[in-house]
Amino acid sequence: MNAMFDPVADRIAALKDRLEAFMAEHVYPNERALLSERQEGVARWEPSPLLEELKGRARGEGLWNLFYNHGPEGQGLSNYEYTHLCELLGRSLAAPEVFNCNAPDVGNMEILAQYGTDEQKRCWLAPLLAGEIRSCFAMTEPAVASSDATNIETEIRRDGDDYVVTGRKWWITGAMSSRCKVAIVMGKSDPSAARHKQQSMILVPMDTPGVKVERPLSVYGYEHPPLGHAEIVFDGARVPAANMLLGEGRGFEIAQGRLGPGRIHHCMRFIGLGERAIETMCRRATDRKAFGSTLAEMGGVRQAIGQSRCEIEQARLVTLKAAWTMDRAGAKAARNEIAVAKIVVPTLVGAIIDRAIQVHGGAGLSQDVFLAEAFAETRFLRIGDGPDEVHREALARAELARHA
Ligand SMILES: Cc1cc2nc3c(=O)[nH]c(=O)nc-3n(C[C@H](O)[C@H](O)[C@H](O)COP(=O)(O)OP(=O)(O)OC[C@H]3O[C@@H](n4cnc5c(N)ncnc54)[C@H](O)[C@@H]3O)c2cc1C
């Protein structure tokens, strides 16, 4: 973005420069090591010394908790401002955790900051903000269509001064990590209440008896260590009543607050991935020759590059609009803009990365180039945080109501 026309970008220009320099000096040179080391055995769920070293550096340089604007632990940026920085750190799949800006911890920190009691914040938010522990968010269940969260069956039953949690969850990002110390679990506390008041969210420490992490799940074969995605069983896990978040029956209210910023952060990161895919595609096309000319001289490749520029600009604009609307009116009022970005960005950036893979030939599908894993990441988001169809349906409802 041109700072001349954007006073907001001006305000974060220094931070952006420092982040860019950090990425160049520490992240890109270590990217392969961060993404592929410890791919075997249980050790892959341990934090690598390299990751911890880079986290320490980022923190020391004030490039820490860039997303966080609920207190002095963050940088106090608006969503619109953070978009510019998140795009930069999104260029590498290895970067978000280096700056303590990774999913799902970011969303969980938002929940704790907004809805946690002082004690819940002391126990869980403080170590998360310090990057000392990791967390997970457990909503999806294998047995029910979880895109409709009213289907969720996990039971949260009051028993004296405790709640007892029973159910099976899967696709729980972060839960494979040996550092994952707490789950925010969504379940039903009162199946007889109104449809959107039956659900609650509760904090369940991962070392609670009855919590069992059963297996890792992979996305096109990528297990995403050291955080991973897990299938987990809660078999009568008993926690104090004080672990309830916000209050019984308020799970949906919390889910809305969490998923707004969370969805947008994925989109911001994907713009960075898309920009990097275009750069990589151009370099490869310029360097590589076939049938007497460089790939960059071929019409089909030039069309692919031109189309990709059109699409990344569209992706950026819908994301900035959603962030800007959230800053002005809150996540609830910005839900349509967030839904648009959540649908548009992974689809467009996925298409850009797919073209970049094609231009790379076999190398594009290999582990030597970041593109294949990046594609898998964009593909996941067409389902994760609610499938695109559900968001299109909500948009249609709003649109039809507007024109009724
Ligand atoms: C890599 C990854 C990470 C994830 N991380 C987490 C996590 O940390 N925590 C967590 O709780 N969950 C997580 N999820 C789960 C994710 O949020 C769910 O998979 C998603 O919400 C869809 O639920 P489902 O899989 O049960 O699909 P279902 O609900 O069974 O839906 C299947 C399909 O039905 C179609 N469909 C559904 N509704 C409609 C509609 N209204 N109109 C038209 N078609 C429709 C869509 O095509 C949809 O994809 C993750 C998933 C992945 C892949």
Side-chain angles (χ1 to χ4, degrees):
M1 181 140 318
N2 187 337
M4 241 173 74
F5 300 109
D6 190 345
V8 175
D10 230 9
R11 202 160 81 82
I12 55 160
L15 210 46
K16 220 173 137 189
D17 287 347
R18 278 165 45 215
L19 184 59
E20 241 163 0
F22 192 100
M23 292 286 290
E25 191 177 346
H26 302 295
V27 176
Y28 301 130
N30 289 307
E31 186 174 46
R32 275 294 106 215
L34 285 166
L35 290 176
S36 62
E37 70 178 12
R38 295 171 180 250
Q39 293 282 9
E40 299 299 326
V42 288
R44 68 195 188 283
W45 311 119
E46 301 285 337
S48 73
L50 177 59
L51 175 62
E52 292 304 303
E53 182 201 322
L54 294 187
K55 278 168 63 180
R57 273 182 193 274
R59 195 172 181 189
E61 294 187 21
L63 297 169
W64 192 250
N65 293 336
L66 301 165
F67 71 97
Y68 192 74
N69 57 15
H70 301 281
E73 300 87 348
Q75 307 292 332
L77 303 176
S78 66
N79 287 296
Y80 185 82
E81 288 170 322
Y82 178 55
T83 305
H84 298 77
L85 300 172
C86 194
E87 172 177 338
L88 281 181
L89 66 89
R91 290 170 58 88
S92 170
L93 295 172
E97 195 180 348
V98 170
F99 305 105
N100 214 33
C101 292
N102 59 291
D105 295 299
V106 160
N108 294 341
M109 287 186 256
E110 293 277 355
I111 286 186
L112 287 161
Q114 286 182 62
Y115 307 110
T117 61
D118 287 348
E119 182 59 11
Q120 289 167 348
K121 286 180 186 165
R122 189 188 64 74
C123 260
W124 306 115
L125 179 60
L128 278 168
L129 283 167
E132 290 161 6
I133 64 165
R134 299 291 79 181
S135 60
C136 64
F137 182 76
M139 182 166 81
T140 303
E141 300 180 2
V144 296
S146 303
S147 51
D148 176 357
T150 62
N151 282 340
I152 275 159
E153 289 175 343
T154 291
E155 182 188 64
I156 303 177
R157 180 174 51 84
R158 182 79 192 230
D159 184 29
D161 290 339
D162 300 329
Y163 283 100
V164 180
V165 181
T166 304
R168 178 177 287 271
K169 302 284 186 181
W170 77 337
W171 282 116
I172 307 311
T173 303
M176 290 307 301
S177 168
S178 61
R179 297 164 296 154
C180 182
K181 300 298 178 201
V182 67
I184 296 178
V185 180
M186 182 155 169
K188 277 194 180 156
S189 46
D190 181 3
S192 65
R195 197 157 169 254
H196 292 95
K197 301 279 179 198
Q198 298 176 8
Q199 300 78 9
S200 300
M201 284 195 197
I202 193 158
L203 291 157
V204 180
M206 294 298 280
D207 61 2
T208 307
V211 178
K212 186 168 174 229
V213 176
E214 285 206 332
R215 61 168 180 151
L217 295 158
S218 66
V219 179
Y220 289 143
Y222 295 105
E223 286 192 315
H224 299 145
L227 298 179
H229 315 281
E231 182 160 350
I232 311 180
V233 172
F234 296 89
D235 183 9
R238 181 175 287 273
V239 294
N243 284 24
M244 179 60 70
L245 278 160
L246 196 58
E248 267 191 40
R250 301 186 72 179
F252 260 92
E253 199 178 325
I254 301 174
Q256 287 194 331
R258 176 188 194 274
L259 288 180
R263 283 179 184 140
I264 282 297
H265 290 171
H266 279 304
C267 295
M268 296 168 182
R269 283 197 292 271
F270 283 1
I271 298 163
L273 268 187
E275 282 288 0
R276 193 166 167 212
I278 295 174
E279 283 168 33
T280 311
M281 172 161 53
C282 289
R283 287 205 192 102
R284 180 77 171 186
T286 308
D287 290 349
R288 198 96 165 155
K289 265 192 170 171
F291 303 101
S293 66
T294 64
L295 303 185
E297 289 166 322
M298 296 175 176
V301 173
R302 299 172 81 85
Q303 289 292 312
I305 293 169
Q307 182 62 21
S308 298
R309 174 48 53 200
C310 296
E311 290 176 355
I312 200 74
E313 296 296 333
Q314 294 169 52
R316 183 182 286 107
L317 284 175
V318 292
T319 306
L320 282 169
K321 183 174 178 198
W324 183 86
T325 310
M326 252 164 64
D327 287 337
R328 269 147 196 80
K332 202 168 171 194
R335 61 188 177 278
N336 290 344
E337 284 79 4
I338 293 169
V340 168
K342 197 275 170 195
I343 296 163
V344 166
V345 177
T347 305
L348 292 184
V349 173
I352 292 169
I353 295 170
D354 187 54
R355 284 183 210 116
I357 289 174
Q358 193 69 15
V359 169
H360 277 73
L365 292 169
S366 76
Q367 71 272 36
D368 291 350
V369 184
F370 74 96
L371 293 167
E373 192 167 354
F375 178 81
E377 192 74 7
T378 59
R379 186 64 188 84
F380 130 70
L381 203 62
R382 288 168 54 197
I383 292 174
D385 285 354
D388 288 356
E389 291 90 339
V390 174
H391 297 288
R392 276 196 210 97
E393 169 64 31
L395 284 171
R397 234 180 296 130
E399 206 65 22
L400 287 165
R402 209 154 66 88
H403 300 296

